[in-house]
Amino acid sequence: MGTQQLFWLGLAAGILALLFAIFQAKRVLSFSEGSDAMKKIASAIREGANAYLRHQYATVFKVFLVVFVVLLILCWRRLLGNWFIPFAFLTGGVYSALAGFVGMKVATSANARTAQAASESLNRGLNVAFSAGSVMGFTVVGLGLLDVSIWFHILKYIAGYDAPQIAQTMVMFGMGASFMALFARVGGGIFTKAADVGADLVGKVEAGIPEDDPRNPATIADNVGDNVGDVAGMGADLYESYVGSILATFALGVAAYSGAGKAWEAMLLPILLAAVGIVCSILGSFLIKTKEGATQRELLGTLRKGTYTAAILAAIAAAPLTYFLLGSWGVYIAILCGLIGGCAIGYFTEYYTSDTYKPTRGLADATETGAATTIIGGLSLGMLSTIAPILIVGVAVIVSFIAAGGSLATASDHYAASFSQGLYGIGIAAVGMLSTLGITLATDAYGPVADNAGGIAEMSGLGEEVRERTDALDSLGNTTAATGKGFAIGSAALTALALLVSYVDIVSAKAEAIDLSLTNPAVLVGLFIGAMLTFVFAAFTMSAVQRAAQSIVVEVRRQFREIAGIMDGSADPDYASCVALCTKGALREMVKPSLLAIIVPIVTGLILGVEGVVGLLGGVSVTGFAVAVFMSNAGGAWDNAKKYIESGHHGGKGSECHKAAVIGDTVGDPFKDTSGPALNILIKLVSTVSIVFSGLIVTFHLL
């Protein structure tokens, strides 16, 4: 069987992942949803999440339609590669949305079941929540491999394209997934953090009632937000990362190995790595179990056992695959760099955000002197936490480049075969880092389910021991969510670098001599614009949360003031009004920051030319990576410092330290769940948009 015929294994692995997701979904649904009160609360959360996604997808559909028409016009004017790209843009968006939607549907069905399972044992609650999270993880990788594999077979066997044509066409296919992911991440992030901030500031700080207290009008909106932001948004986000890394490596592989007659093999390797990663992730998921009364460190240990086992198995399986296809142990070392780098970033993210380690406990100590020192401590912790991920990615880039055949001494010769092979090493490292995404994303998506379970346990009046178990699962979820964000950001940095190189390859074939030296004013100005874009995007998303949260604060205060009997439990608050306000605010605010990623690279290119765009991509990748790590880790640490205090330290719930920690957490909410994670999508979407519109920029530019 020829190498070209082995691409069907991608289809088979994608189907296997989806079948496992179906198996896990049925397993989750087989558990009891608990009492009528629990079912009623879960139903309200489910209805709110479904209503928001319907409105969000309707809004995004209109934007997608406009972009689709623009792409068709560019095809007609011969400024786009071919007629497949507009339709691939649509399929990428649909698959990305579907991945998030499926994950959210199962998560909203699992929250009450997790609470009920936690009433029986900690291990049973963990298993239900993790099984729900694994539906998200394996749906993402399954749909991702299906999307890539189906389009490969269309281009190869229907269109009759050769390897270079397929690679150059498919590297543009990620724009639809990136576009959808950014809308889902930004919109969902605004919704969830507006509700969370409003609920915390008025409920905990002003009214002095516990988190998820049924007397708080924003508590249902808060639980809805966990699902639309941290499940649907994260699913669309990592779907885009997964597909983007494979497509970028396609293009780099063809450039590196066409001369050696191994272009098909270089394209097949990332597909087989992803397929192997799915099998290893399934095996690792069966190791997730714990004992009653487990500590946070022990709970983290069981999740580590599953994810590390999957990574080790993937590393072992990658060795014969790489040697069989490319005969290069250097490329295998590059894959190991990705796998080890992903685990290392996860560990250091956990170190800076988990309350089992010194940094977050030190942040909890800062609450002794008030909210101001808590905020200062969180900001400095987040800034310091950028050291490890940046150095890890830097080492991974250099080692992968050299191991795969590149030479830093000849790096200026962009067309040298060794240089191209080195760049392929960087791309395949990104694929290696994401190869076990099925289980990595499962540990991330598990968190919102556990968080919702805690809310349902509180609102339905389950026993104190149940709340202790759901709190333990929730605190673990905060750490795994931070770890997942760090993992996504690290892979985004590698993928963005691979996309940047692909952009240079594509425009080099279309344009005359290109000067990419730092002394070129167009490159320098592009760098500044890229750095600026990072901060403007973060500002837009932060201010969006601020405005939406203000409306929730005003509404919750109004209800406490005007609805008699809320505080003594004799009257019910109006939950629906808060859900409606969050929905309205998120849909209104998500469009402006999302459009930045399309407008800025196109306008920059039309003015400064391709050199300016290269500078822009470099600037936004470097600053976006650093700022995303800073924001995500600072937010995670603030959240877990609050959880640490709520577990009985520094006076526990209701103390002055607790109030200071809540204020720190509300500052960190948009950091970790809106602006920070959306930045990793921004740096890849800007790259993909630049590639898609490269023909337009080469043809029309002022400088």
Side-chain angles (χ1 to χ4, degrees):
M1 181 182 290
T3 300
Q4 300 170 41
Q5 281 70 48
L6 291 176
F7 279 87
W8 67 268
L9 291 172
L11 283 171
I15 293 170
L16 174 64
L18 293 177
L19 289 175
F20 185 70
I22 292 171
F23 166 77
Q24 290 289 66
K26 289 185 175 179
R27 183 168 180 267
V28 169
L29 295 176
S30 68
F31 288 91
S32 168
E33 208 170 6
S35 65
D36 289 341
M38 295 167 68
K39 292 176 183 177
K40 182 180 178 181
I41 297 166
S43 176
I45 295 170
R46 192 155 48 242
E47 289 173 8
N50 289 337
Y52 170 76
L53 281 193
R54 282 197 301 271
H55 285 97
Q56 184 191 63
Y57 290 163
T59 302
V60 174
F61 173 76
K62 297 171 187 175
V63 180
F64 260 72
L65 192 59
V66 172
V67 177
F68 176 71
V69 172
V70 170
L71 293 177
L72 288 177
I73 293 172
L74 290 177
C75 285
W76 174 58
R77 300 293 298 173
R78 299 181 184 276
L79 295 172
L80 203 60
N82 56 62
W83 289 93
F84 290 108
I85 293 171
F87 297 96
F89 169 76
L90 289 182
T91 62
V94 169
Y95 274 56
S96 181
L98 184 60
F101 178 76
V102 170
M104 189 214 69
K105 290 289 286 185
V106 174
T108 53
S109 297
N111 47 21
R113 290 175 166 87
T114 300
Q116 177 62 24
S119 68
E120 300 172 30
S121 72
L122 181 64
N123 182 56
R124 199 168 177 84
L126 173 66
N127 284 335
V128 175
F130 179 79
S131 295
S134 67
V135 175
M136 173 85 274
F138 287 95
T139 298
V140 165
V141 296
L143 290 176
L145 265 187
L146 279 183
D147 193 18
V148 171
S149 300
I150 289 171
W151 273 112
F152 173 86
H153 284 86
I154 290 173
L155 296 178
K156 177 73 176 70
Y157 296 107
I158 297 178
Y161 283 7
D162 58 16
Q165 288 174 307
I166 292 175
Q168 196 170 86
T169 299
M170 291 190 71
V171 76
M172 302 183 188
F173 283 8
M175 191 173 89
S178 297
F179 202 33
M180 182 64 231
L182 193 60
F183 273 105
R185 214 11 152 168
V186 171
I190 293 169
F191 185 111
T192 183
K193 294 304 105 180
D196 202 356
V197 170
D200 282 356
L201 285 180
V202 185
K204 287 184 179 179
V205 177
E206 295 182 9
I209 58 179
E211 184 174 8
D212 298 316
D213 192 295
R215 293 171 293 178
N216 192 328
T219 189
I220 293 294
D222 187 8
N223 284 287
V224 169
D226 290 334
N227 292 286
V228 300
D230 297 336
V231 179
M234 175 59 88
D237 175 355
L238 283 169
Y239 173 88
E240 176 261 352
S241 296
Y242 188 71
V243 171
S245 67
I246 294 173
L247 297 180
T249 307
F250 271 14
L252 295 175
V254 169
Y257 288 96
S258 288
K262 290 190 173 183
W264 292 114
E265 287 82 354
M267 293 175 68
L268 178 61
L269 182 57
I271 292 290
L272 293 186
L273 280 178
V276 164
I278 286 173
V279 176
C280 296
S281 294
I282 291 173
L283 295 175
S285 67
F286 289 111
L287 300 177
I288 307 297
K289 58 185 67 175
T290 191
K291 62 183 180 181
E292 191 61 37
T295 64
Q296 278 296 300
R297 196 177 291 271
E298 289 170 332
L299 286 170
L300 281 170
T302 191
L303 292 183
R304 276 187 193 159
K305 180 167 50 173
T307 53
Y308 288 1
T309 298
I312 291 169
L313 292 175
I316 294 170
L321 285 177
T322 307
Y323 193 76
F324 169 72
L325 290 173
L326 297 178
S328 170
W329 289 115
V331 173
Y332 175 64
I333 292 173
I335 295 169
L336 288 183
C337 284
L339 282 165
I340 295 171
C343 291
I345 289 173
Y347 172 78
F348 281 104
T349 304
E350 177 187 310
Y351 173 76
Y352 278 103
T353 59
S354 171
D355 64 13
T356 60
Y357 296 102
K358 185 177 178 180
T360 297
R361 291 192 176 187
L363 184 57
D365 293 340
T367 62
E368 293 282 356
T369 48
T373 51
T374 305
I375 293 170
I376 293 169
L379 291 173
S380 63
L381 183 153
M383 292 175 186
L384 189 65
S385 73
T386 62
I387 295 174
I390 288 175
L391 291 180
I392 290 167
V393 169
V395 170
V397 166
I398 297 296
V399 174
S400 299
F401 179 82
I402 295 174
S407 171
L408 296 179
T410 60
S412 60
D413 186 359
H414 183 74
Y415 298 100
S418 62
F419 183 74
S420 296
Q421 289 173 6
L423 294 175
Y424 178 74
I426 297 172
I428 205 69
V431 177
M433 187 178 285
L434 288 167
S435 60
T436 56
L437 180 63
I439 189 168
T440 306
L441 181 52
T443 62
D444 189 326
Y446 136 91
V449 178
D451 191 359
N452 268 207
I456 290 172
E458 178 77 35
M459 287 185 280
S460 58
L462 295 183
E464 186 63 30
E465 74 283 357
V466 179
R467 185 67 207 208
E468 288 177 2
R469 291 168 186 160
T470 57
D471 280 349
L473 296 175
D474 183 19
S475 183
L476 175 64
N478 287 334
T479 302
T480 58
T483 302
K485 293 182 182 80
F487 184 84
I489 294 165
S491 66
L494 291 176
T495 303
L497 180 56
L499 289 169
L500 171 59
V501 174
S502 299
Y503 176 76
V504 174
D505 282 341
I506 290 170
V507 296
S508 296
K510 297 178 181 178
E512 298 177 1
I514 301 174
D515 178 13
L516 299 180
S517 65
L518 283 176
T519 54
N520 183 342
V523 175
L524 279 173
V525 173
L527 283 168
F528 282 120
I529 294 173
M532 174 206 70
L533 178 59
T534 298
F535 288 94
V536 171
F537 179 85
F540 278 7
T541 50
M542 289 282 288
S543 61
V545 172
Q546 170 229 318
R547 286 189 292 271
Q550 281 182 304
S551 67
I552 297 299
V553 168
V554 170
E555 172 61 17
V556 174
R557 284 174 177 168
R558 181 196 68 79
Q559 291 198 33
F560 279 141
R561 185 176 62 251
E562 297 180 4
I563 302 178
I566 285 184
M567 291 305 293
D568 63 15
S570 60
D572 292 330
D574 181 6
Y575 301 120
S577 65
C578 290
V579 174
L581 277 174
C582 287
T583 300
K584 182 180 177 181
L587 295 177
R588 182 181 64 248
E589 299 284 358
M590 74 178 182
V591 177
K592 185 166 63 173
S594 300
L595 291 180
L596 272 179
I598 291 182
I599 295 171
V600 172
I602 295 175
V603 172
T604 301
L606 292 176
I607 296 173
L608 299 177
V610 295
E611 292 94 341
V613 174
V614 171
L616 167 73
L617 299 183
V620 75
S621 297
V622 172
T623 56
F625 178 32
V627 173
V629 172
F630 152 63
M631 298 184 89
S632 294
N633 287 350
W638 271 316
D639 196 352
N640 275 334
K642 178 196 68 176
K643 294 287 185 186
Y644 182 68
I645 291 171
E646 289 176 344
S647 66
H649 301 87
H650 297 285
K653 294 181 180 180
S655 65
E656 291 303 313
C657 289
H658 183 232
K659 291 179 180 179
V662 170
I663 292 172
D665 182 37
T666 57
V667 174
D669 277 335
F671 269 47
K672 69 182 175 66
D673 288 326
T674 309
S675 302
L679 282 170
N680 83 76
I681 308 172
L682 175 75
I683 63 179
K684 289 172 291 181
L685 179 55
V686 168
S687 300
T688 311
V689 167
S690 299
I691 290 172
V692 170
F693 290 93
S694 59
L696 177 68
I697 291 168
V698 169
T699 306
F700 304 103
H701 58 88
L702 293 179
L703 301 180

